[in-house]
Amino acid sequence: MPSVKDKNFLGELKEDAAVYQINSSLAIVQTVDFITPVLNDPYAFGAVAAANAIGDIYAMGAKPIYALNIVEFPVKSLPLSILQEILRGGADKALEAGVSIAGGHSIEDNAPKYGMAVTGFVDPTKLVKKSGAQPGDVLFLTKPLGTGILTTAIDRGLTGAETEQEIYKIMAHLNKGAAEAMMEVGVHACTDVTGFGLLGHLIEMMNGSNTSAQVFLNRVPLIQGARELAKTGAIPAGTHNNYRYIRNNVKWEGHDKKEDIMLLCDAQTAGGLLIAVSQEKADQLKAALVKAGCLAAEEIGRVAEKEEKAIKVLA
Ligand code: CO
Ligand code: CO
């Protein structure tokens, strides 16, 4: 992030997207994200990359409006039909989100990469920041964890084709319904769980809010099979890095199985929303998330007064 002096920029460093206020009822929200292939099927990769890019707009409580494609592709070594499938996957996902693709830019590169710069609108008085959590809040997660571990297992040939289809559905699932539910109910803070894993993103939220959190390990939703594969060591490098980054900030209360630590640190692609809501509104939010068809609507923890460690994981 640049050091921003223009007072029309809202929000602080490390928010999911940049927010620029136009007037008292309108701010534009902008983000950019592109990734390397996480699935073998090019159409599925395109759809997941689009869902992942648009996710940062939903995390701020904004409505995504339009996007520009960002493409890197090895035109000399791969057939153009693959690129067309990637773009078709992205276009279909954008259409589902109500996002117009208004252009883009492509360059030659030795490995494919795809994503989007996405622009959204929000009422600045309703903007949801990462830094608004308060002691006593309930934490919700709207998708199960484990996409990093499962995509690594697929890469290593440890799983069948059904698994690829299953995690494609999870990663490509838009956070649109989750965002609409949280905006309807009114929440204190939100971020999307992506590359830094649940604990990495939760630490950012807690540090930004000057609070600490308790995570209830048994209530954290996991993708079926992820725990067993984590035990066999199908752990991506990004997840190991996340663990090194967070370990001094997390206290494990009477439970420190390696597979559980790795799952809570697992680098996600297009993960769910992590939401902090007041205790009075927690039931209402849960009902709204379920009604919106979210893949998970689990109460995974609580926000507490700031302690020495940002997070305590309880078994
Ligand atoms: Co984000
Ligand atoms: Co992002």
Side-chain angles (χ1 to χ4, degrees):
M1 283 287 276
S3 59
V4 170
K5 295 211 173 72
D6 187 331
K7 65 175 174 30
N8 292 314
F9 279 103
L10 307 179
E12 295 83 34
L13 294 173
K14 290 188 172 182
E15 284 298 338
D16 288 296
V19 184
Y20 191 87
Q21 181 158 3
I22 305 292
N23 58 43
S24 60
S25 62
L26 177 67
I28 56 173
V29 181
Q30 281 196 309
T31 182
V32 56
D33 214 316
F34 60 102
I35 57 176
T36 52
V38 284
L39 294 167
N40 295 318
D41 177 58
Y43 177 91
F45 165 53
V48 168
N52 185 60
I54 299 168
D56 279 325
I57 302 286
Y58 290 132
M60 305 215 65
K63 183 175 158 52
I65 305 294
Y66 72 91
L68 305 173
N69 276 332
I70 299 164
V71 180
E72 300 181 22
F73 195 77
V75 279
K76 294 193 185 92
S77 59
L78 284 179
L80 271 180
S81 59
I82 291 182
L83 175 58
Q84 283 160 358
E85 279 297 283
I86 293 172
L87 295 177
R88 193 170 69 85
D92 282 353
K93 193 47 68 178
L95 187 69
E96 184 190 332
V99 169
S100 307
I101 296 180
H105 183 72
S106 59
I107 61 164
E108 192 179 341
D109 191 6
N110 52 19
K113 295 171 190 77
Y114 175 59
M116 290 173 171
V118 190
T119 300
F121 292 164
V122 70
D123 174 341
T125 63
K126 293 183 177 146
L127 182 68
V128 182
K129 293 191 213 168
K130 196 180 285 189
S131 53
Q134 296 175 19
D137 281 356
V138 176
L139 293 166
F140 279 89
L141 181 62
T142 69
K143 281 192 191 185
L145 299 178
T147 65
I149 286 162
L150 278 153
T151 49
T152 300
I154 290 167
D155 258 4
R156 296 184 188 171
L158 301 173
T159 64
E162 326 78 65
T163 308
E164 182 154 359
Q165 193 58 25
E166 173 69 15
I167 63 159
Y168 160 57
K169 279 196 223 140
I170 293 169
M171 291 191 287
H173 188 97
L174 287 170
N175 287 332
K176 184 172 191 276
E180 286 167 359
M182 82 169 177
M183 294 312 282
E184 174 196 315
V185 172
V187 304
H188 286 157
C190 179
T191 190
D192 57 335
V193 176
T194 52
F196 297 143
L198 173 66
L199 295 185
H201 289 282
L202 182 56
I203 286 174
E204 281 192 344
M205 183 186 272
M206 292 304 105
N207 288 346
S209 307
N210 203 30
T211 50
S212 286
Q214 297 172 350
V215 172
F216 313 132
L217 180 65
N218 296 331
R219 297 213 205 148
V220 176
L222 302 176
I223 301 171
Q224 207 188 347
R227 201 161 187 280
E228 289 65 39
L229 287 162
K231 270 193 206 171
T232 71
I235 313 283
T239 298
H240 283 295
N241 292 341
N242 287 342
Y243 171 64
R244 278 193 287 278
Y245 173 76
I246 61 100
R247 69 180 161 196
N248 293 328
N249 266 313
V250 179
K251 191 171 175 200
W252 299 85
E253 294 257 295
H255 190 101
D256 54 1
K257 288 213 180 86
K258 182 157 183 249
E259 61 270 21
D260 291 325
I261 295 174
M262 288 298 145
L263 280 158
L264 298 193
C265 291
D266 191 35
Q268 303 298 285
T269 301
L273 298 184
L274 172 64
I275 303 169
V277 64
S278 70
Q279 196 178 350
E280 302 80 68
K281 287 184 175 178
D283 288 345
Q284 201 190 336
L285 179 64
K286 186 173 175 92
L289 292 172
V290 170
K291 193 169 163 224
C294 292
L295 298 176
E298 297 316 318
E299 181 189 327
I300 61 150
R302 291 287 170 131
V303 180
E305 299 286 347
K306 189 163 182 64
E307 289 175 31
E308 191 202 331
K309 307 255 184 198
I311 298 174
K312 200 187 284 178
V313 179
L314 308 170

